[in-house]
Amino acid sequence: MKSQRTSTSTDAKLLAAIRESVVLHGVRRTTANDIAERAGISRMTFYRRMGSVENAVLAALTQEFRSYTGAVWSGTPAGSGREQLVHFAVENVRLFATSELLASISERDPEFLIPYVTDRFGASQQLILEQLQGLLDAGAADGSIAPAAGTAVTLLLAVQGVALSSRVLLKMGIFDDSLTELAKMLERYLTPPLPGGVELEGATNVTSVEENPLSNELEGH
């Protein structure tokens, strides 16, 4: 038991050291020696636990995502599955905009993130994808969402796009406005159509010829 507590404590110190180093130096200038020194461990122990600096940065990112999504989840108010999902998605973007770790990587080493945008999902994205799928399942159960096979991934990509653009949106002074629009977009996207294919209130409805007085009048000529 003591050995397990020691291991957990070492891992926590190691992840904190990785985060601190990347925030200060970026990915490329972060070294195993720097991380090991900050964590109070040997360089050999670092490599035994992490394998490489890249793996270490990914582990720190996953921990950051887990911490942030946990904070958002614990503050999610009661409501339908759809309401909870919209809140979860928007508030995660809001919170990740404050992440010093993600900001440092985006500013100094944006190429580090590219494979996880264009080629594959990383552990951090899989974590959020699982959370989104759980909320979609809850929405399907209470009837507030009618998800399809690709809904969770589509949501992840939409939220990820806004999150990665947060620095631009903040510089433009429209970050909060963009989150408001994101919430509207998600709410509209996730709301099931009414029976008969009727869309949301406010959606554009096409009037049939039989119901159009002008069409009827033209047909009489």
Side-chain angles (χ1 to χ4, degrees), residues 2-197:
K2 183 177 179 181
S3 176
Q4 185 176 357
R5 286 198 298 268
T6 301
S7 177
T8 301
S9 175
T10 300
D11 288 343
K13 290 179 180 178
L14 183 53
L15 288 170
I18 297 164
R19 186 184 189 282
E20 183 180 353
S21 186
V22 175
V23 167
L24 289 174
H25 305 303
V27 176
R28 283 174 296 178
R29 294 180 58 196
T30 291
T31 66
N33 285 337
D34 183 45
I35 294 172
E37 183 177 340
R38 291 177 187 277
I41 61 176
S42 68
R43 189 166 176 267
M44 183 179 297
T45 299
F46 166 80
Y47 279 115
R48 188 165 60 244
R49 289 184 178 272
M50 290 295 170
S52 67
V53 171
E54 180 179 348
N55 288 344
V57 175
L58 291 174
L61 269 175
T62 300
Q63 175 61 28
E64 188 103 336
F65 274 60
R66 182 175 290 109
S67 174
Y68 280 16
T69 56
V72 171
W73 181 250
S74 65
T76 299
S80 68
R82 184 177 73 246
E83 291 168 337
Q84 289 189 325
L85 195 156
V86 172
H87 177 273
F88 177 82
V90 172
E91 292 309 310
N92 264 298
V93 174
R94 191 188 306 279
L95 196 54
F96 277 109
T98 69
S99 170
E100 293 179 319
L101 178 62
L102 195 55
S104 178
I105 296 174
S106 298
E107 181 178 349
R108 295 185 174 96
D109 308 282
E111 68 279 1
F112 184 81
L113 300 173
I114 290 177
Y116 306 102
V117 176
T118 62
D119 186 52
R120 62 189 182 276
F121 286 158
S124 302
Q125 291 157 305
Q126 290 290 350
L127 179 69
I128 293 182
L129 192 61
E130 290 172 5
Q131 299 266 17
L132 291 173
Q133 187 60 61
L135 288 165
L136 284 171
D137 291 342
D142 66 24
S144 62
I145 302 174
T151 302
V153 173
T154 301
L155 287 171
L156 175 63
L157 294 176
V159 171
Q160 177 177 280
V162 178
L164 291 176
S165 302
S166 60
R167 289 177 61 226
V168 175
L169 298 173
L170 287 166
K171 288 179 181 179
M172 295 175 65
I174 59 171
F175 179 69
D176 288 333
D177 291 337
S178 296
L179 292 190
T180 299
E181 293 305 308
L182 176 63
K184 291 179 184 177
M185 181 181 74
L186 295 179
E187 179 72 27
R188 192 173 184 86
Y189 170 62
L190 293 169
T191 300
L194 297 174

